Amino acid sequence: MVAEQLEARGITETAVLQAMNTVPREKFIADTYEAHAYVDGPLPIGEKQTISQPYIVALMIELLELQPGSIVLEIGTGSGYAAAVLSRIAAQVITIERHEKLVWSAQERLMALGYDNIIVMQGDGTLGCDDFAPYDGIIVAAGGPTVPVPLKEQLKIGGKLVIPIGSNQRKQQLYQVNRRDAYQFNEKRKGPVSFVPLIGQAGWQE
Ligand code: SAH
């Protein structure tokens, strides 16, 4: 997976490749799909949600440009897979999921696997989480119509926010937002992606 799906497509950051190599993807999906754990695409995880394609997870984490010791906020815990990968690079990961069932299963799974620097919370991630802000990086694993303002406000100066944005609920452009100072943000488009919708106050209506 690392050589054929990630390195071959231009993922170069050693910390990201190592983290992707370490986290057992098969432990984050239902037994029925275990044989497909390393396929080059997303897989269903219940509640009409998916675990993202490995390449997209690696690309988004690389775009966060994390330094050692960083604190990261993830929106859309899903299976907990991306949080586990992030936890191998960041010092602390806060992850928010709106579906209660997914919160419990991710929390249980991450604990069982020994990932102890991840806090899983239930709620509307479009509002972020003020308790641990500001963040070095914020990663959103669902697509919204616009960049949620609360997430921009909770980003450190110099921090990166990576989020799929699009007027279509299933097709987006991946954005890397860089906070330059208190008021200025730079946005770069990093290519077309397809995520499940980001549903919440600063996202799509239910
Ligand atoms: N990172 C996950 C994939 C997540 S799929 C993994 O590695 O498995 C996107 C997730 O975002 C879904 O579980 C969906 O329920 C969740 N989601 C959508 N809108 C949300 C919101 N406003 N707050 C928190 N989670 C949200």
Side-chain angles (χ1 to χ4, degrees):
M1 177 187 87
V2 169
E4 289 172 18
Q5 298 175 29
L6 311 185
E7 287 180 292
R9 291 198 186 113
I11 303 293
T12 55
E13 196 63 53
T14 314
V16 177
L17 294 169
Q18 266 172 9
M20 293 289 296
N21 209 7
T22 314
V23 176
R25 190 168 161 91
E26 69 279 7
K27 297 283 200 293
F28 290 81
I29 54 181
D31 293 346
T32 22
Y33 293 102
E34 202 173 316
H36 306 284
Y38 292 89
V39 296
D40 193 8
L43 289 171
I45 54 170
E47 309 299 314
K48 291 197 233 151
Q49 306 302 326
T50 53
I51 178 171
S52 308
Q53 178 190 17
Y55 168 66
I56 294 296
V57 175
L59 175 65
M60 290 177 83
I61 295 177
E62 190 167 73
L63 290 173
L64 289 177
E65 297 173 13
L66 296 175
Q67 304 299 321
S70 51
I71 169 163
V72 177
L73 176 67
E74 182 197 28
I75 313 306
T77 314
S79 67
Y81 175 72
V85 176
L86 281 166
S87 79
R88 302 302 85 195
I89 302 168
Q92 183 70 56
V93 178
I94 315 298
T95 179
I96 309 177
E97 170 58 52
R98 63 188 287 272
H99 276 291
E100 192 176 354
K101 269 192 190 168
L102 294 176
V103 172
W104 287 110
S105 57
Q107 202 157 37
E108 212 172 0
R109 177 181 293 127
L110 291 166
M111 260 171 51
L113 293 170
Y115 295 104
D116 58 7
N117 59 338
I118 303 174
I119 298 173
V120 186
M121 300 172 79
Q122 192 197 350
D124 176 5
T126 65
L127 305 177
C129 175
D130 247 334
D131 297 357
F132 301 92
Y135 301 97
D136 297 288
I138 303 180
I139 179 170
V140 185
T146 53
V147 183
V149 172
L151 299 184
K152 289 166 87 170
E153 288 170 350
Q154 292 173 24
L155 197 59
K156 272 186 198 166
I157 310 281
K160 307 284 186 295
L161 164 60
V162 177
I163 179 170
I165 297 293
S167 52
N168 178 310
Q169 285 207 3
R170 294 278 159 177
K171 287 182 189 165
Q172 306 90 10
Q173 269 285 328
L174 189 59
Y175 277 62
Q176 184 198 43
V177 182
N178 176 16
R179 183 166 201 173
R180 294 177 56 198
D181 57 36
Y183 307 104
Q184 294 190 76
F185 297 82
N186 250 355
E187 288 179 3
K188 285 187 193 159
R189 289 163 165 241
K190 297 292 181 177
V193 285
S194 175
F195 277 82
V196 297
L198 177 69
I199 295 167
Q201 269 190 56
W204 295 103
Q205 303 276 319
E206 175 108 58

